[in-house]
Amino acid sequence: MKCTAQEWLRVTTVLFMARAIPAMVVPNATLLEKLLEKYMDEDGEWWMAKQRGKRAITDNDMQSILDLHNKLRSQVYPTASNMQYMTWDVELERSAESWAESCLWEHGPASLLPSIGQNLGAHWGRYRPPTFHVQAWYDEVRDFSYPYEHECNPYCPFRCSGPVCTHYTQVVWATSNRIGCAINLCHNMNIWGQIWPKAVYLVCNYSPKGNWWGHAPYKHGRPCSACPPSFGGGCRENLCYKEGSNRYYPPQEEETNEIERQQSQVRDTHVQTRADDSNRNEVISTQQMSQIVSCEVRLRDQCKGTTCNRYECPAGCLDSKAKVIGSVHYEMQSSICRAAIHYGIIDNDGGWVDITRQGRKHYFIKSNRNGVQTIGKYQSANSFTVSKVTVQAVTCETTVEQLCPFHKPASHCPRVYCPRNCMQANPHYARVIGTRVYSDLSSICRAAVHAGVVRNHGGYVDVMPVDKRKTYTASFQNGIFSESLQNPPGGKAFRVFAVV
């Protein structure tokens, strides 16, 4: 599901789809744009601030998220009579941090979801402030139809003409008056089957939770006319407000020498690691099959061979002037990334693309697709096609022979996700044959652990099938014994590569 501004977003509750209704207009949109603009000039490495301290969000990001929530809540239409002023909650921040560090694109943890609301947002590529996602959540108002009191008999209908509206309803749920968010940089995050190399993951937790079935997000009426008695009649910018609500109490730190304690932990870990390495003959490989390229790189600029068939494109290639020649079949002087956008494999946020060389074509046809105008050429030249990099979860026993046997011309294997604890898999059913180059009868994931491409906790692996070898050499690496094999009667081979 793709939401506002082409960002991936998730919701906390079951969605109730209804018939189409007219979209609402966000009031005072100019003021919102001005509020957002001041955050767009901040340092693009805003998530790295987490590494300079214990908290998972900077004070500036915390304040901007909170300010925008209250700004949006104060100007809902129709007007709200019981909308409460929202404050920052440290415990909600900590729970959001814990979940953001999991890098799981789903709601959780399950034990907390009955008592909190949660909105998620993620992006990669060009810089976006966290308020970008908050605004995207709120913009679902276009598809939401407010249930007036006379329609709630006894339950209020939920009418949403778009894919989802529950991000919006959680943002403006009147009684959700506390929020805590966290930001984490997740490497190779799985977003519904798409692998994002450096996903910036935003988790916002709300309390009390909103999105209760059968209820409207707030009561319609004159602002602050139905505030709970505990607010003492206080009203601030159309929000029920209690004196002192805007105070922020930072988390209390333990009175310990944090630097000294961390150094002690590092020393202990280092000693333990060296002891483990001597027992396991540890080998680490960070060699990648995919190559990072710029928007201007042409296929003819890159090396030749099967290791040059997977590329990682950056964001913003629509703005590049690099030329693309052809349609479907592209001439070798074409920009790899812009050809991928033209064909629809990736969008302007970048991503991975597989290349297949197709030999000579007599001519290349021009066309305009996805914002890329290609050039025609009526002259014989070598060509290539582009395809999507798919992802497939496998077991510890899955082999390349089962997943993607070798063919000529070489075919692309999906990127695989290996589960945890493949070191402990039965070696009779999950064999490893060879070193560096493995027989296709080998377990992909155990071969990846043996080669040092992934650890025993699993992860993503790129697989490259190759023609068979006459000899496969045995070795002991990373706690796994591999077998030797001489002159196998049939079968092919493969190599494994890291995804970093």
Side-chain angles (χ1 to χ4, degrees):
M1 187 186 305
K2 215 165 191 178
C3 289
T4 306
Q6 298 184 348
E7 286 301 308
W8 294 96
L9 302 169
R10 292 293 301 269
V11 296
T12 57
T13 60
V14 177
L15 304 182
F16 297 89
M17 307 306 293
R19 65 182 183 275
I21 49 97
M24 294 183 180
V25 178
V26 182
N28 299 326
T30 303
L31 294 177
L32 293 179
E33 291 173 1
K34 290 181 179 178
L35 183 63
L36 288 170
E37 283 174 0
K38 70 178 182 179
Y39 305 119
M40 293 300 292
D41 296 329
E42 293 181 2
D43 180 11
E45 299 293 322
W46 50 273
W47 63 82
M48 297 302 291
K50 176 184 173 183
Q51 298 182 2
R52 297 193 293 270
K54 285 188 172 183
R55 297 183 59 210
I57 192 166
T58 65
D59 286 339
N60 285 340
D61 286 338
M62 178 201 76
Q63 197 61 53
S64 66
I65 290 172
L66 188 58
D67 288 347
L68 186 55
H69 269 82
N70 281 321
K71 182 74 174 179
L72 297 171
R73 288 163 68 86
S74 71
Q75 57 188 31
V76 292
Y77 183 84
T79 55
S81 62
N82 67 332
M83 187 70 72
Q84 298 180 21
Y85 184 87
M86 189 171 276
T87 60
W88 195 265
D89 188 283
V90 173
E91 292 305 317
L92 289 174
E93 176 191 325
R94 285 172 172 161
S95 64
E97 176 183 7
S98 177
W99 190 247
E101 288 178 347
S102 74
C103 293
L104 294 175
W105 187 238
E106 59 188 47
H107 288 285
S111 59
L112 277 183
L113 292 180
S115 58
I116 64 167
Q118 188 176 78
N119 277 346
L120 307 179
H123 73 270
W124 77 285
R126 65 182 183 275
Y127 164 69
R128 293 183 178 93
T131 45
F132 174 91
H133 295 290
V134 177
Q135 184 65 52
W137 297 335
Y138 181 86
D139 285 346
E140 293 169 6
V141 66
R142 300 189 187 99
D143 300 320
F144 180 73
S145 180
Y146 178 84
Y148 289 90
E149 187 175 357
H150 68 273
E151 300 176 280
C152 302
N153 187 25
Y155 300 110
C156 299
F158 184 88
R159 294 195 295 264
C160 179
S161 62
V164 60
C165 296
T166 46
H167 295 106
Y168 163 73
T169 51
Q170 177 59 80
V171 168
V172 301
W173 202 268
T175 56
S176 294
N177 56 21
R178 299 194 306 279
I179 184 175
C181 304
I183 300 168
N184 190 36
L185 180 63
C186 295
H187 293 274
N188 301 318
M189 187 174 177
N190 189 335
I191 307 289
W192 291 330
Q194 297 292 314
I195 306 303
W196 291 8
K198 293 180 180 179
V200 181
Y201 190 21
L202 171 66
V203 178
C204 283
N205 288 344
Y206 301 82
S207 183
K209 71 174 296 181
N211 288 334
W212 290 98
W213 183 84
H215 293 266
Y218 57 85
K219 294 179 181 178
H220 169 48
R222 181 172 52 84
C224 298
S225 62
C227 294
S230 60
F231 285 82
C235 184
R236 181 174 179 176
E237 297 178 349
N238 297 334
L239 301 175
C240 302
Y241 180 78
K242 186 186 300 182
E243 286 300 325
S245 295
N246 58 343
R247 295 176 186 170
Y248 166 66
Y249 300 94
Q252 295 182 354
E253 305 293 348
E254 298 177 4
E255 294 184 359
T256 58
N257 187 333
E258 185 64 25
I259 296 177
E260 182 177 327
R261 186 174 68 179
Q262 289 178 351
Q263 289 176 341
S264 174
Q265 290 174 344
V266 169
R267 284 196 298 269
D268 293 344
T269 302
H270 180 65
V271 171
Q272 184 64 41
T273 301
R274 292 189 62 181
D276 289 345
D277 293 350
S278 63
N279 293 330
R280 296 175 54 210
N281 188 24
E282 184 169 24
V283 175
I284 298 175
S285 172
T286 58
Q287 183 181 4
Q288 298 184 69
M289 187 173 82
S290 62
Q291 300 182 52
I292 300 174
V293 295
S294 68
C295 300
E296 289 71 32
V297 169
R298 304 169 298 176
L299 189 60
R300 66 174 298 174
D301 296 332
Q302 295 302 102
C303 61
K304 298 179 180 179
T306 53
T307 58
C308 300
N309 290 338
R310 182 163 291 176
Y311 299 94
E312 181 182 346
C313 294
C317 287
L318 269 179
D319 302 323
S320 170
K321 302 300 182 183
K323 65 181 179 181
V324 180
I325 304 170
S327 300
V328 182
H329 289 85
Y330 301 96
E331 205 260 1
M332 297 287 283
Q333 296 188 58
S334 299
S335 158
I336 296 171
C337 298
R338 283 175 55 79
I341 293 176
H342 178 265
Y343 196 73
I345 299 302
I346 61 174
D347 57 22
N348 200 38
D349 284 336
W352 279 285
V353 56
D354 277 337
I355 297 295
T356 303
R357 291 166 175 79
Q358 298 290 355
R360 298 189 74 83
K361 297 295 176 183
H362 296 297
Y363 57 87
F364 299 87
I365 301 173
K366 68 178 181 180
S367 64
N368 191 322
R369 293 181 60 187
N370 301 317
V372 176
Q373 175 66 59
T374 66
I375 303 170
K377 181 177 179 179
Y378 295 92
Q379 183 179 349
S380 177
N382 287 323
S383 67
F384 68 93
T385 55
V386 294
S387 58
K388 200 175 193 67
V389 177
T390 59
V391 180
Q392 183 171 332
V394 297
T395 69
C396 296
E397 291 78 26
T398 303
T399 67
V400 170
E401 182 185 42
Q402 298 167 335
L403 182 71
C404 54
F406 176 81
H407 296 292
K408 289 185 178 180
S411 57
H412 300 290
C413 279
R415 176 164 288 169
V416 302
Y417 183 79
C418 292
R420 292 174 176 268
N421 301 324
C422 284
M423 278 181 62
Q424 287 74 42
N426 189 326
H428 296 289
Y429 299 107
R431 301 170 66 189
V432 178
I433 305 170
T435 301
R436 191 171 180 270
V437 178
Y438 301 91
S439 163
D440 67 353
L441 298 176
S442 301
S443 155
I444 296 172
C445 296
R446 279 173 54 81
V449 174
H450 180 267
V453 170
V454 294
R455 302 281 187 170
N456 195 38
H457 52 65
Y460 294 95
V461 177
D462 275 338
V463 178
M464 184 179 71
V466 296
D467 213 342
K468 69 178 181 180
R469 297 293 190 266
K470 293 182 178 180
T471 302
Y472 296 95
T473 305
S475 65
F476 176 68
Q477 294 180 172
N478 300 323
I480 292 180
F481 285 98
S482 70
E483 307 172 37
S484 63
L485 188 62
Q486 302 290 329
N487 298 315
K492 305 297 181 180
F494 70 96
R495 294 181 61 191
V496 287
F497 295 88
V499 178
V500 296

